[in-house]
Amino acid sequence: MKCKNCGEEIESKLLYCPKCGESIQLVPEYDVLEEELLSKVVEDKNKSKEKFATGVYKTTGSDKTANSHKKVVAPKEAILSKRSCILLITFLLIISIGGTCLIAAYANKHSYDNLMNSAIKAEEGSQYAKALGYYEEAYNIKTDSYEAIYGLGRMYFKVKEYKNAVEYLTIALNYEPDNKTIYSYLLQSYVALKDYDSIHTLADNAPNEEIYSMISSYFVSAPTFSDEGGEYDTSLTIYLKANNGDQIFYTTNGKNPVTSGKLYSDGITLKEGTTEIKAVSVNSEGYYSDVASETYVIEYAELSTPAVSPEAGTYTELQYISIAVPDNATAYYTWDGSDPAENGIEYTEPFPIISGDSVLSVVIIDANGNQSPLYRGEYHY
């Protein structure tokens, strides 16, 4: 091997040229940065050998090994260590800057305002489940936000989670107690849940007549009766009516119409005596109204003996017989003494007395089928 500096032939084991003292490169080629650092190390080492008078420095075998480690391997490790530090610092800076940007971008995307805008956009596009997710995230940021609370109520209704809808819509109602749209969502949710008791409670707390009227349209109203309960002297036919085409079940024996009722189709005719009618309406959802009831006491008026004029007796001139007939009653008569209730002539106007000796029989029958006492009179003409 020849010295690169002076051309002197150098033994393979020597680290320095014996003639000029130039160091012999025993390590592989480095990149530019490594070469510069290595040259600096060699330069420093050349300076250190100036303290020797001869200008020639030979090492022993043990020194050779030590010097080889110090002058060749150690600088490379230092270079690698420095490069690793630079790379590590650069990597950490990139991660830090990138992470900060990512965090800032995420925070901006998931801000309350952006979440609400995304929720509204999704809701307008009928993407209710997606909108629900945005409203939930916005609500977690601002739990007192009316817009987020109301949005949750609407979206839970849209996805048919009615219990959750009721929860948030009820809270929203505290913010706007006269918002008819909130009432509409609430009422429909209660109907879906068949919770009609809550509809009644909602009506009891209605803030004004307009909203009360709106709520009451969801009620299943009890049936109405054509005649009020009370005392009557004639037979009655009671007619029942329900709203919205609801069915009606009724009883006349005092039992509960919900469990023992008969389906109403036509009027209920009452005869003499005491009768309590209980009735209930049921809508298409199977919800019953309150039970309505009326009690009727019917006592037929007692018919008196028919008043006939002129009275029985002997007459020499033609007479016309008149009979006083009460309202809702009919009079029947015969001249041969037979029972007028069975084969009598219906009285419609005064009729003439017949000649000879006759027995006039008169009876009055009212609309309830009651008969008066029989009138009998002997007439001679």
Side-chain angles (χ1 to χ4, degrees):
M1 179 185 296
K2 292 185 178 182
C3 176
K4 290 183 178 181
N5 185 43
C6 65
E8 180 72 6
E9 193 71 32
I10 304 172
E11 295 180 13
S12 61
K13 295 182 179 181
L14 295 179
L15 299 177
Y16 296 92
C17 176
K19 182 178 181 180
C20 67
E22 182 69 20
S23 63
I24 307 303
Q25 182 174 340
L26 297 178
V27 297
E29 294 295 330
Y30 299 107
D31 58 23
V32 176
L33 178 60
E34 290 173 331
E35 288 183 358
E36 289 180 356
L37 291 173
L38 186 60
S39 298
K40 184 69 169 60
V41 173
V42 173
E43 181 182 349
D44 291 342
K45 188 61 65 177
N46 287 338
K47 288 181 180 180
S48 66
K49 73 179 182 178
E50 292 177 0
K51 63 183 181 180
F52 297 103
T54 61
V56 179
Y57 176 65
K58 293 182 180 181
T59 63
T60 63
S62 59
D63 290 340
K64 178 170 59 178
T65 303
N67 289 337
S68 173
H69 173 72
K70 290 180 181 179
K71 296 177 175 56
V72 178
V73 179
K76 182 177 180 181
E77 291 178 349
I79 293 167
L80 292 175
S81 177
K82 185 171 183 179
R83 290 181 66 197
S84 297
C85 291
I86 292 171
L87 290 172
L88 178 60
I89 292 170
T90 303
F91 175 75
L92 292 174
L93 286 172
I94 292 172
I95 292 297
S96 176
I97 295 170
T100 302
C101 293
L102 288 173
I103 292 171
Y106 178 87
N108 182 59
K109 182 178 179 180
H110 292 264
S111 67
Y112 173 81
D113 290 340
N114 278 345
L115 288 169
M116 288 299 296
N117 288 332
S118 298
I120 293 170
K121 183 178 180 181
E123 182 178 355
E124 290 174 346
S126 300
Q127 297 176 297
Y128 302 125
K130 186 176 182 180
L132 178 60
Y134 287 128
Y135 280 123
E136 285 179 339
E137 195 170 350
Y139 173 73
N140 289 332
I141 295 173
K142 293 179 67 175
T143 57
D144 60 346
S145 166
Y146 165 73
E147 291 80 6
I149 293 169
Y150 186 18
L152 283 172
R154 292 195 307 273
M155 294 308 99
Y156 276 123
F157 175 83
K158 292 294 185 180
V159 299
K160 299 183 179 180
E161 293 186 25
Y162 298 114
K163 287 186 178 180
N164 288 331
V166 166
E167 177 184 352
Y168 287 98
L169 289 169
T170 301
I171 298 173
L173 204 59
N174 292 330
Y175 287 84
E176 285 194 326
D178 56 353
N179 187 318
K180 291 190 291 185
T181 305
I182 297 178
Y183 277 102
S184 178
Y185 281 122
L186 266 176
L187 289 166
Q188 293 178 72
S189 297
Y190 285 137
V191 170
L193 294 170
K194 297 185 178 180
D195 185 3
Y196 291 92
D197 290 338
S198 293
I199 296 179
H200 284 277
T201 301
L202 206 60
D204 292 339
N205 298 314
N208 54 56
E209 287 297 326
E210 183 180 8
I211 290 178
Y212 177 82
S213 177
M214 173 185 177
I215 298 171
S216 63
S217 65
Y218 284 80
F219 292 165
V220 179
S221 301
T224 57
F225 294 70
S226 59
D227 294 274
E228 295 181 354
E231 296 182 358
Y232 293 85
D233 60 4
T234 185
S235 297
L236 290 176
T237 298
I238 305 300
Y239 297 93
L240 304 178
K241 183 179 180 181
N243 292 333
N244 305 317
D246 296 336
Q247 290 183 317
I248 301 173
F249 291 86
Y250 74 95
T251 60
T252 57
N253 56 5
K255 292 185 177 181
N256 188 339
V258 175
T259 56
S260 305
K262 177 182 178 181
L263 180 63
Y264 173 82
S265 60
D266 203 353
I268 305 168
T269 299
L270 304 179
K271 298 294 186 178
E272 189 172 28
T274 300
T275 304
E276 181 183 16
I277 298 178
K278 290 184 176 181
V280 66
S281 298
V282 59
N283 66 7
S284 58
E285 301 293 332
Y287 183 77
Y288 289 85
S289 70
D290 294 333
V291 175
S293 66
E294 293 286 355
T295 300
Y296 302 88
V297 178
I298 298 176
E299 294 182 357
Y300 295 142
E302 186 175 342
L303 295 174
S304 58
T305 303
V308 179
S309 179
E311 295 179 355
T314 300
Y315 297 93
T316 58
E317 294 181 358
L318 181 62
Q319 301 291 321
Y320 280 82
I321 305 299
S322 296
I323 303 172
V325 183
D327 293 337
N328 300 316
T330 303
Y332 298 90
Y333 67 93
T334 62
W335 279 110
D336 57 5
S338 62
D339 186 359
E342 294 182 2
N343 54 10
I345 301 171
E346 180 178 350
Y347 174 79
T348 57
E349 60 183 0
F351 55 89
I353 191 173
I354 62 175
S355 59
D357 296 329
S358 305
V359 176
L360 177 64
S361 300
V362 181
V363 69
I364 293 176
I365 301 175
D366 64 17
N368 301 314
N370 297 318
Q371 295 184 19
S372 69
L374 184 63
Y375 169 86
R376 284 184 182 276
E378 294 182 0
Y379 288 83
H380 305 282
Y381 173 59

